[in-house]
């Protein structure tokens, strides 16, 4: 796109000049606002307040009556007013309200062009003029490369000298330069830009300079620009810091000297941080940190052999940031006590992140690990002295985990658990220097973060500071323990790691007790909750390390119940949430593998790993919900109650699947036996939850009962009556009376009836009647299918339906209806009588629609004769027994009154 690098440099200068112009416009607006305010205050002091109407009338008539001509007020010149010369009033009077400030005068076009635009364009023109002059000399062949370079340097020096002369001239004449059109600053910026271009052209275009010389000269120009920014403002500082950090990119070499590079960057960083500190330019500090971090990335291409210079870069930058950038520490800016300052914390975190990259890229070389440890310790030390850098503690904790987690994942863990031990020269060895260094480093990190976090409690007046310290104190030891366990023990059983976890839990428990006995301070309760969480987490890890994989689910569930119990002994609000969190973790654990222990579930019905893996957590969650309910009904309680119901339901369903499918819970289909058992279990648990919700009023128990009832209904309709119905499909139902029909239809009918009575008066009538109707349908289906079984054997789908079979259905339905009617009369149950009426009505329909067409001879006659006799008998029962009894019951209370 550009035939000559100078064209590109000219474009860059133009863009930079435009940015300076935009910044100048903003500063002009601020200055204009300040000038208007000063003028308004001056006019307010010089002009007396306007009199009230009555007061104005008195002032107008009094002088005329006395024969004295009024004297007009004298308005002094605004420029002659000085606030210090204003005399104090001798007699106190009520101050008059100041009039609103005068409207801001519009800036004229002439003023805008004459004082601002011409200056900006002039500075840009000077810089571009130098570039174009050099371009012209090249195209015309007037001057040689050496002369061009010398003239470019002289032109840069001339611009710099002009900028300094104009600055001194304005200072001597006491004329303050407009910040938006600062002529000295623009001239100096143009001079530095030309100087950069001249040096770069001498190196890249003409080869007059070797890389080292060009590098030094460009660096000196950049440092000089930063120094000039002390006099000429932030725009020049931005130009200088960008030029300083871009210089190493412009000057390249086939054999880069990283030591020279990073020494140079340390000098530039020190200069930029120093300038940012003197002028309190936050943006300059942030820009420097960003560029310095980017210069850490070359370590990603150099490999482990070049750790030292890269480590020096992050170490030097960290020290400079701590000394000059961190508020309230050594030479840093002033700090607000108890406040986390983003730049102070971010500067340390940025260099610590650079050290992390070096560690990961060098494959955890010893030197990289040592530097990383020094920076992590330095973060704790600086944050201990200055609250502004407390955010770096959290960043250090996270990065420590990243380093050790990568070390654990990167290794080949299979070599650690071979029966013969690791192969010689292949894979990590538990006794080599790297593992030893990491073990020592992990111990130092765990001790440092743990102890410092505990001792930091109570040292700050703001709650966020102790919370950050306590969170790091709890997180780092636990995270390191898990990483070491994964690397060394390969997630297998390890009693030594279990012992370490128990010791860590004891330390956290002691910290919790000591903090509980202290006086209340900001962040005190949150810190107690965090240490209590650490105690329970360490105990859970101990169980995980000491037990087989399946016991982790049990251990976490028991920890949830233990946490709920501890919340009664130590009423820390977070403990209730922690119990819910642990319950959620257990739920996620079974979502990954519902068998909990994989293929090692076992084949024994009931007494297999499903019983322990689901039963113990279910019991634990029920116990935890009882503990939590003593202190109120809230989200954590509902979470634990939901987990209790879920594990209870899954225990029953998984055990049914396991028992029915020969120990395979993942069997692809379900049969009549499985569906029948699941319907019965769902209805039974719904009855239990309906009873329980009446005592607790829990929305979770209420929702659980409804969901289980809905599941039973769907499984009944879709499974028992359609997909697994033995009349439609080739299903062996077993013996004559003790068979699957009894399990699949009679028992669910009884449970549905009991459930309808359990919810009667507590649920809507439609809900209750639906359950009663379901019980009736299942009972009638059982009667029908049993007759079918007597006529067709265990495979009910085989063979035609004979006349005697049809007649038996009608007689059985009639008998069933009569039994229901008798129960309704004896128990005075309208629901039973209505069910009887429904069955008899169905029998009538069958007689006219089916029996009349399919039955012949004596069976047809007997069918209708029996139906008629039953209907007459039913009418007699209603007339003679039921309604006479009801009439007598209604008349009984009136008898004493008549007597």
């Amino acid at each position: 796109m550009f035939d000559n690098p100078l064209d590109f440099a000219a474009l860059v200068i133009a863009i930079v000049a435009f940015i300076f112009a935009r910044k100048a416009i903003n500063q002009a607006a601020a200055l204009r606002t300040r000038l208007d305010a000063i003028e308004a205050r001056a006019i307010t002091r010089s002009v007396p307040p306007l009199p009230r109407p009555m007061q104005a009338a008195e002032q107008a008539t009094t002088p005329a009556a006395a024969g004295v001509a009024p004297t007009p007020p004298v308005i002094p010149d605004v420029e002659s007013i000085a606030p210090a010369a204003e005399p104090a009033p001798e007699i106190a009077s009520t101050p008059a309200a100041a009039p609103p400030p005068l409207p801001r005068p519009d800036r004229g076009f002439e003023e805008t062009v004459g004082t601002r635009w011409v200056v900006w364009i002039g500075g840009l023109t000077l810089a571009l003029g130098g570039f174009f002059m050099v371009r012209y000399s090249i195209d015309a062949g007037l001057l040689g490369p050496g002369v061009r370079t010398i003239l470019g340097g002289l032109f840069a020096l001339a611009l710099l000298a002009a900028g300094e002369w104009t600055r001194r001239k304005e200072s001597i004449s006491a004329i303050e330069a407009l910040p938006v059109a600062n002529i000295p600053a623009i001239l100096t910026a143009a001079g530095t830009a030309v100087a950069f271009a001249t040096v770069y052209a001498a190196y890249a275009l003409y080869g007059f300079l070797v890389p080292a010389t060009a590098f030094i000269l460009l660096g000196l120009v950049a440092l000089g620009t930063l120094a000039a920014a002390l006099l000429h403002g932030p725009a020049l500082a931005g130009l200088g810091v960008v030029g300083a950090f871009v210089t190493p990119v412009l000057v390249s070499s086939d054999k880069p000297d990283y030591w020279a590079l990073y020494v140079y960057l340390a000098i530039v960083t020190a200069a930029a941080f120093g300038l940012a500190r003197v002028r309190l330019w936050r943006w300059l500090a942030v820009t420097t940190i960003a560029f310095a971090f980017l210069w850490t990335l070359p370590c990603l291409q150099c490999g482990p052999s070049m750790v030292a210079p890269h480590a020096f870069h992050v170490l030097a930058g960290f020290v400079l940031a701590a000394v000059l950038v961190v508020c309230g520490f050594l030479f840093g800016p002033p700090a607000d006590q108890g406040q986390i300052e983003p730049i102070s914390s971010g500067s340390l975190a940025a260099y610590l992140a650079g050290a992390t990259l070096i560690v990961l890229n060098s494959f955890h070389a010893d030197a990289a690990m040592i530097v990383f440890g020094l920076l992590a310790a330095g973060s704790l030390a600086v944050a201990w002295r200055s609250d502004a850098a407390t955010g770096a503690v959290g960043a250090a904790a996270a990065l420590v985990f990243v380093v050790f987690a990568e070390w654990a994942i990167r290794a080949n863990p299979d070599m650690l658990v071979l029966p013969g031990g690791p192969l010689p020269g292949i894979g990590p060895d538990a006794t080599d220097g790297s593992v030893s260094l990491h073990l020592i480093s992990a111990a130092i990190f765990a001790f440092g973060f743990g102890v410092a976090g505990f001792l930091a409690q109570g040292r700050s007046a703001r709650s966020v500071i102790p919370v950050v310290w306590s969170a790091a104190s709890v997180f780092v030891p636990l995270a390191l323990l898990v990483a070491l366990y994964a690397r060394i023990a390969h997630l297998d059983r390890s009693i030594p790691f279990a012992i370490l976890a128990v010791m860590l839990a004891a330390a956290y428990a002691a910290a919790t007790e000591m903090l509980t006995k202290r006086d209340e301070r900001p962040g005190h309760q949150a810190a107690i909750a965090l240490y209590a969480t650490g105690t329970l987490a360490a105990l859970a890890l101990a169980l995980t390390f000491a037990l087989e994989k399946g016991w982790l689910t049990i251990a976490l569930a028991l920890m949830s119940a233990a946490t709920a119990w501890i919340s009664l002994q130590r009423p820390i609000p977070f403990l209730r949430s922690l119990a819910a969190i642990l319950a959620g973790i257990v739920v996620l654990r079974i979502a990954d593998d519902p068998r909990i222990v994989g293929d090692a579930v076992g084949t024994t019905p009931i007494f297999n790993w499903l019983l322990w893996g689901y039963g113990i957590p279910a019991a634990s969650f029920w116990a935890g919900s009882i503990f939590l309910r003593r202190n109120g009904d809230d989200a954590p309680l509902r979470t634990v109650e939901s987990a209790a119901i879920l594990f209870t339901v899954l225990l029953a369903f998984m055990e049914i699947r396991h028992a029915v499918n020969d120990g395979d819970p993942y069997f692809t289909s379900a049969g009549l036996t499985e569906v029948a058992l699941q319907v019965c279990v769902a209805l039974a648990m719904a009855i239990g939850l309906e009873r329980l919700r009446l005592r607790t009023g829990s929305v979770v128990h209420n929702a659980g009962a409804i969901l289980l009832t809905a599941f039973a209904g769907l499984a009944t309709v879709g499974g028992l009556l359609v997909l697994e119905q033995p009349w439609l499909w080739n299903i062996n139902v077993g013996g004559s009376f003790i068979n699957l029909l009894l399990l699949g239809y009679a028992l669910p009918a009884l449970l549905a009836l009991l459930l309808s009575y359990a919810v009667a008066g507590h649920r809507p009538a439609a809900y209750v009647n639906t359950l009663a109707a379901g019980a009736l349908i299942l009972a009638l289906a059982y009667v029908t299918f049993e007759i079918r079984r007597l006529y067709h054997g265990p495979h009910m789908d085989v063979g035609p339906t004979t006349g005697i079979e049809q007649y038996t259905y009608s007689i059985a339905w009639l008998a069933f209806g009569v039994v229901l009617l008798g129960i309704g009369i004896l128990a005075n149950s309208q629901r039973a009588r209505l069910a009887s009426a429904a069955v008899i009505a169905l029998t009538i329909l069958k007689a006219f629609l089916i029996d009349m067409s399919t039955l012949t001879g004596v069976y047809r006659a007997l069918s209708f004769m029996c139906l008629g006799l039953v209907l007459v008998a039913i009418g007699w029962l209603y007339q003679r027994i039921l309604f006479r009894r009801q009439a007598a019951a209604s008349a009984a209370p009136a008898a004493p009154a008549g007597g």
Side-chain angles (χ1 to χ4, degrees):
M1 182 180 296
F2 296 100
D3 297 333
N4 195 293
L6 293 178
D7 294 339
F8 176 74
L11 178 61
V12 172
I13 294 300
I15 295 174
V16 173
F18 176 75
I19 296 173
F20 291 167
R22 292 295 303 170
K23 186 174 183 64
I25 290 174
N26 296 332
Q27 293 175 341
L31 179 62
R32 173 59 61 185
T33 302
R34 294 177 58 187
L35 290 175
D36 291 343
I38 294 173
E39 293 176 0
R41 287 198 298 268
I43 294 174
T44 301
R45 294 190 183 98
S46 63
V47 179
L50 295 177
R52 294 186 296 273
M54 291 299 297
Q55 183 180 358
E58 293 174 0
Q59 293 176 354
T61 58
T62 301
V68 179
T71 304
V74 177
I75 302 177
D77 188 7
V78 174
E79 296 180 357
S80 64
I81 296 175
E86 189 175 7
E90 298 180 0
I91 301 175
S93 61
T94 303
L102 296 178
R104 176 180 175 180
D106 294 333
R107 183 193 310 146
F109 178 76
E110 181 181 5
E111 178 187 0
T112 302
V113 174
T115 62
R116 292 166 175 81
W117 291 6
V118 295
V119 177
W120 305 331
I121 298 174
L124 177 60
T125 304
L126 285 174
L128 293 178
F131 295 128
F132 294 153
M133 180 59 70
V134 174
R135 178 63 183 269
Y136 172 75
S137 67
I138 295 174
D139 294 339
L142 300 178
L143 303 174
V147 177
R148 299 171 200 160
T149 304
I150 295 174
L151 290 178
L154 293 177
F155 183 59
L157 292 176
L159 290 174
L160 294 174
E164 180 62 19
W165 181 82
T166 54
R167 185 190 69 82
R168 292 176 177 271
K169 189 66 175 177
E170 290 178 349
S171 176
I172 294 173
S173 60
I175 299 177
E176 183 180 359
L178 288 176
V180 295
N182 193 335
I183 295 175
I186 292 177
L187 291 174
T188 305
T192 56
V194 174
F196 269 115
T198 301
V199 175
Y200 182 71
Y203 160 72
L205 297 180
Y206 309 130
F208 292 155
L209 303 176
V210 297
T213 305
F215 178 76
I216 295 174
L217 290 177
L218 289 174
L220 290 176
V221 172
L223 293 176
T225 306
L226 287 175
L230 285 170
L231 302 174
H232 295 284
L236 200 60
L239 180 62
V241 73
V242 172
F245 280 101
V246 172
T247 292
V249 178
L250 299 177
V251 181
S252 60
S253 174
D254 296 335
K255 297 180 180 180
D257 187 350
Y258 283 102
W259 276 111
L261 168 65
Y262 288 132
V263 169
Y264 163 78
L265 291 179
I267 297 173
V268 171
T269 302
F273 281 165
L275 179 59
R277 171 62 185 93
V278 172
R279 301 299 295 269
L280 295 180
W281 288 338
R282 296 164 58 91
W283 65 268
L284 182 58
V286 173
T287 304
T288 304
I289 294 168
F291 275 111
F293 178 79
L294 291 176
W295 273 110
T296 310
L297 301 181
C299 73
L300 302 180
Q301 289 82 32
C302 297
S305 61
M306 295 296 294
V307 171
H310 301 299
F312 166 79
H313 171 59
V314 296
L315 185 60
F318 183 92
V319 173
L320 290 172
V323 172
L324 298 173
V325 176
V326 176
C327 297
F329 184 78
L330 295 181
F331 304 108
D336 295 330
Q337 190 66 25
Q339 293 285 351
I340 298 179
E341 204 276 318
I343 297 179
S344 300
S345 300
S347 62
L348 302 183
Y351 286 106
L352 193 57
T356 303
L357 293 178
I358 296 173
V359 170
L360 302 183
N361 185 69
S362 65
F363 302 103
H364 297 252
D366 291 353
M369 282 294 299
I370 292 173
V371 172
F372 176 79
L374 291 176
L375 265 60
S379 299
L380 297 181
V382 175
W384 185 269
R385 291 283 305 275
S386 174
D387 290 343
T390 305
V393 176
L399 293 173
V400 165
F401 173 69
V402 168
V403 167
F404 279 84
E406 193 273 343
W407 177 68
I409 295 172
R410 181 179 56 84
N412 185 359
D414 294 335
M415 297 300 176
L416 298 175
V417 294
L418 289 176
L423 299 179
I426 302 178
D429 187 356
T431 60
D432 62 17
S434 177
V435 173
S436 302
L437 179 63
H438 281 74
L439 289 175
I440 297 173
S441 301
I444 295 174
F445 282 135
F447 182 81
F449 277 91
V451 174
F454 177 76
L455 296 179
Q457 303 306 307
R459 297 181 68 248
S460 177
R462 299 293 182 91
S463 59
V464 65
I465 304 300
V467 169
V468 172
W469 278 103
S470 57
S473 176
V474 171
F475 171 76
V476 171
L478 289 173
L480 293 178
L481 185 62
V482 171
L484 293 176
Y485 168 72
R487 168 66 186 258
I488 297 176
H490 188 205
L491 303 180
D492 202 356
R493 293 181 65 227
S494 175
I495 299 302
F497 277 101
I499 295 173
L500 289 176
V502 170
M503 295 172 61
L504 190 58
Y508 286 146
T512 304
E513 287 298 316
M514 286 188 284
L515 290 178
T516 304
K517 297 177 182 179
R518 292 185 181 181
D519 296 335
E520 186 68 24
R521 296 275 302 189
H524 188 67
Q525 291 299 324
I528 293 175
L530 286 170
Y531 280 108
T533 303
T535 303
L536 298 173
L539 289 176
L541 288 177
L543 294 175
T544 304
F545 297 160
L547 303 174
E548 297 290 345
K549 295 180 180 180
W551 289 101
L552 175 59
T553 303
I554 298 175
L556 293 176
L558 292 174
M559 295 307 302
S560 177
T563 305
W565 179 79
I566 293 174
S567 69
L568 295 178
Q569 314 304 318
R570 294 288 186 273
I572 301 172
F574 180 72
L575 291 178
R576 298 175 64 86
S577 300
L578 178 60
I581 292 172
L582 290 172
I585 293 174
V586 177
V587 172
L588 294 177
R589 170 71 180 86
I590 65 168
D592 177 63
D593 184 7
R595 297 176 300 176
I596 299 178
V597 290
D599 296 332
V601 173
T603 57
T604 305
I606 307 299
F607 297 99
N608 49 60
W609 244 105
L610 296 174
L611 178 63
W612 322 123
Y614 284 97
I616 296 177
S620 174
F621 294 144
W622 282 114
S625 66
I626 294 173
F627 296 143
L628 294 177
R629 181 165 292 279
R630 296 180 184 178
N631 287 332
D633 188 352
D634 53 6
L637 169 64
R638 295 170 186 174
T639 302
V640 175
E641 285 181 338
S642 301
I645 295 174
L646 177 63
F647 268 77
T648 303
V649 172
L650 290 179
L651 170 63
F653 286 1
M654 293 294 288
E655 284 285 10
I656 290 172
R657 295 229 73 199
H658 180 276
V660 172
N661 299 306
D662 297 327
D664 184 10
Y666 285 169
F667 195 72
T668 55
S669 63
L672 177 60
T673 303
E674 182 178 346
V675 175
L677 288 173
Q678 289 178 348
V679 169
C680 292
V681 168
L683 291 172
M685 287 190 291
I687 294 172
L689 286 177
E690 291 287 355
R691 297 292 186 185
L692 184 59
R693 80 175 182 89
L694 296 179
R695 291 190 300 170
T696 63
S698 171
V699 296
V700 175
H701 296 160
N702 177 62
I706 294 175
L707 291 176
L708 284 171
T709 303
F711 170 81
L714 293 175
T716 298
V717 174
L720 299 179
L721 299 180
V722 179
L723 297 179
E724 302 297 336
Q725 194 212 99
W727 197 331
L728 299 178
W729 311 103
N730 185 15
I731 299 174
N732 188 344
V733 298
S736 298
F737 295 100
I738 307 300
N739 51 34
L740 287 181
L741 300 176
L742 185 66
L743 177 65
Y745 300 93
L747 185 57
L750 177 61
L751 291 172
L753 181 63
L754 293 177
L755 180 58
S756 69
Y757 278 102
V759 301
H762 307 290
R763 297 280 190 191
Y767 190 89
V768 179
N769 293 334
T770 302
L771 290 173
L776 178 62
I777 293 172
L778 286 170
L780 188 61
Y782 172 70
V783 172
T784 304
F785 291 160
E786 272 294 343
I787 294 173
R788 181 77 177 179
R789 165 65 183 81
L790 293 175
Y791 281 98
H792 292 266
H795 294 278
M796 298 164 47
D797 63 317
V798 179
T801 302
T802 62
I804 185 62
E805 183 180 346
Q806 286 285 7
Y807 177 73
T808 306
Y809 291 142
S810 300
I811 295 299
W813 288 9
L814 278 176
F816 184 54
V818 170
V819 171
L820 289 176
L821 178 61
I823 294 174
I825 293 174
L826 294 176
N828 194 23
S829 172
Q830 185 182 22
R831 189 183 302 161
R833 296 195 299 271
L834 292 176
S836 171
V839 173
I840 292 175
L842 184 63
T843 306
I844 294 173
L845 288 176
K846 178 180 180 298
F848 283 94
L849 296 178
I850 298 177
D851 293 355
M852 185 178 292
S853 61
T854 59
L855 295 180
T856 59
V858 67
Y859 293 119
R860 178 188 297 178
L862 289 175
S863 175
F864 278 87
M865 290 172 58
C866 291
L867 178 61
L869 289 174
V870 170
L871 293 177
V872 172
I874 290 173
W876 182 83
L877 287 173
Y878 271 87
Q879 294 175 9
R880 298 294 180 177
I881 298 177
L882 181 62
F883 286 103
R884 178 179 295 178
R885 180 186 301 171
Q886 293 178 352
S890 61

